[in-house]
Amino acid sequence: RAASASSRGPMPTVAPGGPRDAPAGPERRAFAVHPVSRRDALVAQGTHNVDQSGVTLRHPANHDARLTPFGEQQCEALSARLRGDARVARVALVVTSPLTRCVQTALLCFKGRVAHDARFVAHESVRETVNFACDARRGVDALSSEFNSSGVDFSLVVDAEPDASSSDPDPLWRKYVDVVGDADTWDDHRESCDLVSVADRARAFFAWLETQTEREVAVSSHSAFLRCAFSWGHAGGVRAAPEQTLRFVSGAFDENDAATPVVTYGGDDAFEAQMRQ
């Protein structure tokens, strides 16, 4: 498990996965991560990764994109490689992004743990950076209807309340619609231009993880989110990050914010390089 307290002050207490005001400067903290014997990585193919006659990641048909059949095969192959792995056999908690493709990945890759009563919990904080239609999520009722029978707990995922301006249940998508407009108005990056907010989501996840009793935890998340979580505040910054034109959305952005990492590596340069790939 990859979280421990740093020398910085604690973050404000919030409901797990719920909305909160972004802390500023010294209130942001870092968490220590430690190497494991090996790391298995998989970027499973989703429908948004494949241009299907012009239907790309921006197309409404890819709203909350699913895995392709090939992506499902990739997960099955990883599951087979993990079979018999002593670490995986000890996993008691599987945390997943609530995005459909990520829940599918968690269930397919760790299906052996489903049969052994590991907890599967969807957590809003580890979802992908919210940029295009593929990154918006369905409402909790729809997600629960599809995945509750598989044992996924969506109780930490909270829908936005409908109002006069929108009935979209995704609070993160609506957060950026309020700033730059809907997909017809704004066709560029959203949260990737506000990575301080992504870093704060990662901090919120690690803070929640500290409160859990399980010691062996698997996390099913997304490449851009993890790239930010493991690189924010370190030399060279977040690889391939666009200009941070929406950084004001987070509520604060100064030198302390940009320089405070989400995680620290204890001076292990090789481990840091591995995690920041």
Side-chain angles (χ1 to χ4, degrees):
R1 139 165 204 184
S4 65
S6 76
S7 59
R8 299 186 72 86
M11 292 180 65
T13 301
V14 295
R20 62 186 177 85
D21 294 326
E27 292 182 345
R28 287 189 164 96
R29 62 181 294 194
F31 296 82
V33 294
H34 308 281
V36 293
S37 57
R38 55 184 264 257
R39 185 183 105 179
D40 287 287
L42 169 70
V43 180
Q45 185 187 79
T47 57
H48 63 302
N49 300 130
V50 182
D51 187 338
Q52 304 175 75
S53 302
V55 179
T56 66
L57 76 176
R58 289 173 166 82
H59 197 282
N62 272 323
H63 180 268
D64 197 1
R66 308 183 70 86
L67 293 180
T68 64
F70 178 67
E72 293 176 354
Q73 292 171 17
Q74 290 177 293
C75 294
E76 295 279 3
L78 178 58
S79 179
R81 292 201 303 274
L82 295 177
R83 198 170 298 130
D85 186 309
R87 293 174 308 144
V88 175
R90 294 192 299 268
V91 166
L93 170 63
V94 178
V95 183
T96 179
S97 154
L99 297 187
T100 296
R101 60 188 181 274
C102 212
V103 179
Q104 290 177 298
T105 299
L107 290 170
L108 288 170
C109 290
F110 298 102
K111 59 182 169 183
R113 303 315 302 150
V114 176
H116 289 83
D117 296 325
R119 281 204 301 148
F120 278 68
V121 177
H123 202 294
E124 194 91 294
S125 289
V126 300
R127 64 185 286 184
E128 184 61 297
T129 50
V130 178
N131 294 305
F132 308 113
C134 61
D135 305 317
R137 69 162 172 81
R138 294 180 290 162
V140 172
D141 286 347
L143 292 166
S144 297
S145 176
E146 181 170 355
F147 295 115
N148 265 358
S149 62
S150 300
V152 182
D153 178 1
F154 287 93
S155 62
L156 299 182
V157 182
V158 180
D159 283 348
E161 292 291 334
D163 58 29
S165 63
S166 177
S167 60
D168 193 310
D170 185 348
L172 269 181
W173 182 260
R174 283 174 60 173
K175 170 183 175 180
Y176 293 96
V177 168
D178 288 345
V179 175
V180 297
D182 61 20
D184 293 330
T185 304
W186 184 268
D187 191 35
D188 204 347
H189 289 89
R190 295 167 185 257
E191 198 178 26
S192 285
C193 295
D194 179 30
L195 287 179
V196 66
S197 286
V198 181
D200 282 335
R201 285 208 277 116
R203 291 184 229 274
F205 168 65
F206 282 123
W208 172 82
L209 188 60
E210 285 186 315
T211 69
Q212 305 307 296
T213 58
E214 293 88 354
R215 308 307 300 173
E216 299 288 342
V217 180
V219 179
S220 178
S221 186
H222 305 261
S223 58
F225 169 80
L226 293 173
R227 190 161 58 242
C228 178
F230 292 130
S231 293
W232 181 263
H234 292 279
V238 180
R239 178 168 50 88
E243 185 179 354
Q244 296 300 287
T245 54
L246 300 180
R247 61 188 182 274
F248 61 87
V249 176
S250 67
F253 189 90
D254 59 27
E255 291 183 2
N256 286 333
D257 298 330
T260 303
V262 176
V263 301
T264 58
Y265 297 99
D268 189 332
D269 293 340
F271 177 50
E272 178 180 344
Q274 176 192 29
M275 298 304 289
R276 296 181 64 188
Q277 288 178 359

